[in-house]
Amino acid sequence: MSVESELHKIKKRLRYFDRSSMVFELDNYLSEHAEQSPERFQRLPFLGFLLLEWLFELTPNTSTRIASTKDVYWFIHRLFELNGKTTAGNNSGSLMLFMRPIISNQFWIQHRNEYWLRALINQFEIFHPDDNTPFNAEFEQATGVKLTDFFIIKCYLYCGMKGENRRLNYLHIVKSLHPFFDLDTIANSIRLISGTPENLQAFLCNVMPRAITDTITIAESRLLHKPIIIAESYLFSIDITLLSRGIAEAALNHFIRMNTSGFRQRFGDAFEKYVHVCLSRPDITFVNESDINGTYATAGLAGKVTDFLVKGHDGCVLVEAKGVVPRVETLSSANPFLIKRQVKDSIIKGIKQIVECAYLLDNADGLTLPSSSERFGLIITQGEFLLKRGIDIAKNIAPNDILSLAEKFGEPIPFTNIFVCSIQDFEYLCGIATRKPDFLLEFLRHCRREDADTSTMKMTMIQHIETFFKVLIPEGENYRRRENRGLKDNRLFRKTSDVVAHNQAYWHGKSVNDTYQKSMALKHKLVANT
């Protein structure tokens, strides 16, 4: 029997179990071990997420039985066996391509929740380059909620649900968010990232349907778009990391699902501005795209440019910002043709821009670039593609494209010197307080050294960053964030805490009945169909 047929049988079997009892047992299964313990990761939480997706996709039989711990273990074990068959069938000759589908659903779960808290801050900063956001009208028209209000409400939900063991009752929500926000605003915001069982079924079946294939066990969970369940008396999330990442990425996920005209360009512009702020350190010297174009014009040249050129004492870095996220198929596949099709207009395009820009600058009068071995390229993406090295892309994903590029421009920059980094990791890198001359250049040299030796080679950029920090930070000291940065780390939290303080002061001394009635009104709005 094929893997797909076996998966269909497993999914159908879920219909015979009481949904509430299965959710209860899955909750116990996922939360039995500490968040960062090896035992938790060994349980492969993403298989539990898949079971929950299926559970809400299905309509239970008229006669069901109560699920037990043993039942959950049976389902997880069978999914694990089939997952092994799927990855064993990956015949890629590239270790990088072979490993990507295996780790894509593991690496983000192993990040500490502080990582996703910082991701929430980063998203707020990208969407709010100033005190106002250029995306507000578009968001409000689609949702009935101002984008800034949505960020404040979801920031409160993140902190509140994390502090209350992934549960938050409606009374607590009202006392913290109302009357600063009216109940409709609160309900609409919550429903963007949550749903009742009926809402979740409609979302999973109609809005984001997914057929069963042999890669479904390694695909990212669709519950990242709806990490919160609207229960009878409270909001609930099955897993703290699912909750954290889902809330952090909620605004961008909404815009991606809407796919409104021109959003990609507007977000790309905002993303580039954010990268500019990240680069603005005393130990990084850089010029932007307009300066590079000015150099071209002076030399009578024309062609592709990168967003930034970082200049060092004896090296340089060509930086290209790509505010894109990978599609599910990109992460769950080892097929180079499929991956190439998905990254052709982002990462591969970035490599082409870096190579052509280096070539043209080599031919610009009055500008002397360092030797080619000390030129680096860095493509910064919004999402994590697990495609860290340009040389792997050149050899295993787009060899013909790279060959054509080499025939046209030679090799003005080695592909071993080109790297890809997510904005989350890049901001973490540039946010460190410790300074180092030619900071970014030295970091990429560090990456090159580690990748040159199979014993120190890294799969993800965050691994390079952590070992680089061990060099920067004296033994016994911890990571410290830079002060007086262009990024305002506390802006979102200050807004959120001000709102909560305002509302708690309002409700102080009010009768319990008043708050109870408001909480029932909020509950009604949350469960009402739209």
Side-chain angles (χ1 to χ4, degrees), residues 54-278:
W54 282 352
L55 199 63
F56 284 116
E57 276 187 297
L58 296 167
T59 299
N61 278 10
T62 53
S63 177
T64 57
R65 66 186 181 90
I66 301 299
S68 66
T69 302
K70 183 178 178 181
D71 293 320
V72 169
Y73 274 88
W74 183 89
F75 279 107
I76 294 291
H77 179 69
R78 287 296 293 126
L79 288 177
F80 175 71
E81 289 179 332
L82 294 172
N83 183 66
K85 290 182 181 180
T86 297
T87 53
N90 178 356
N91 296 317
S92 172
S94 162
L95 177 62
M96 181 270 294
L97 291 183
F98 175 80
M99 289 298 296
R100 287 179 73 251
I102 296 176
I103 71 169
S104 67
N105 242 338
Q106 284 280 55
F107 91 97
W108 69 266
I109 294 172
Q110 296 186 27
H111 287 313
R112 294 187 178 275
N113 290 314
E114 290 79 4
Y115 183 92
W116 298 113
L117 181 59
R118 200 172 64 249
L120 173 60
I121 297 170
N122 292 347
Q123 283 289 289
F124 181 81
E125 292 294 333
I126 292 173
F127 279 107
H128 294 77
D130 300 304
D131 285 336
N132 296 314
T133 171
F135 300 91
N136 190 62
E138 182 179 353
F139 190 82
E140 187 172 10
Q141 183 178 6
T143 66
V145 179
K146 294 178 180 178
L147 183 58
T148 305
D149 294 348
F150 177 60
F151 267 99
I152 292 171
I153 290 171
K154 69 175 184 167
C155 180
Y156 162 75
L157 292 177
Y158 173 92
C159 298
M161 294 187 74
K162 187 175 185 299
E164 296 292 331
N165 195 28
R166 295 172 286 113
R167 288 165 173 79
L168 200 58
N169 66 57
Y170 303 126
L171 189 67
H172 194 172
I173 296 171
V174 165
K175 293 177 72 172
S176 299
L177 296 178
H178 182 71
F180 188 92
F181 298 123
D182 61 62
L183 295 184
D184 284 327
T185 296
I186 298 170
N188 289 343
S189 297
I190 291 174
R191 291 178 63 175
L192 285 171
I193 50 176
S194 66
T196 63
E198 294 75 21
N199 297 148
L200 289 171
Q201 184 174 31
F203 180 81
L204 295 169
C205 294
N206 302 325
V207 179
M208 294 194 71
R210 182 157 64 198
I212 290 180
T213 67
D214 61 355
T215 61
I216 198 169
T217 55
I218 52 179
E220 277 194 344
S221 174
R222 291 170 292 168
L223 295 176
L224 285 167
H225 295 259
K226 297 282 184 179
I228 298 173
I229 300 170
I230 299 172
E232 179 65 24
S233 302
Y234 50 78
L235 301 180
F236 163 70
S237 183
I238 197 77
D239 179 82
I240 188 62
T241 311
L242 182 77
L243 173 72
S244 301
R245 182 181 171 190
I247 286 181
E249 298 177 346
L252 182 58
N253 283 340
H254 163 80
F255 280 111
I256 291 173
R257 291 197 306 271
M258 294 292 293
N259 193 27
T260 52
S261 175
F263 170 74
R264 181 174 177 178
Q265 179 62 50
R266 291 194 301 277
F267 183 78
D269 293 341
F271 185 82
E272 184 180 330
K273 290 178 182 177
Y274 185 75
V275 172
H276 183 281
V277 177
C278 291

Side-chain angles (χ1 to χ4, degrees), residues 269-326:
D269 293 341
F271 185 82
E272 184 180 330
K273 290 178 182 177
Y274 185 75
V275 172
H276 183 281
V277 177
C278 291
L279 284 170
S280 300
R281 290 175 53 100
D283 47 5
I284 296 179
T285 301
F286 67 95
V287 296
N288 58 29
E289 181 179 344
S290 61
D291 297 313
I292 300 173
N293 274 321
T295 300
Y296 283 7
T298 301
L301 301 170
K304 290 183 173 64
V305 297
T306 56
D307 293 316
F308 306 98
L309 170 63
V310 174
K311 299 178 178 180
H313 174 67
D314 55 357
C316 68
V317 185
L318 294 149
V319 180
E320 181 61 26
K322 298 291 185 187
V324 292
V325 296

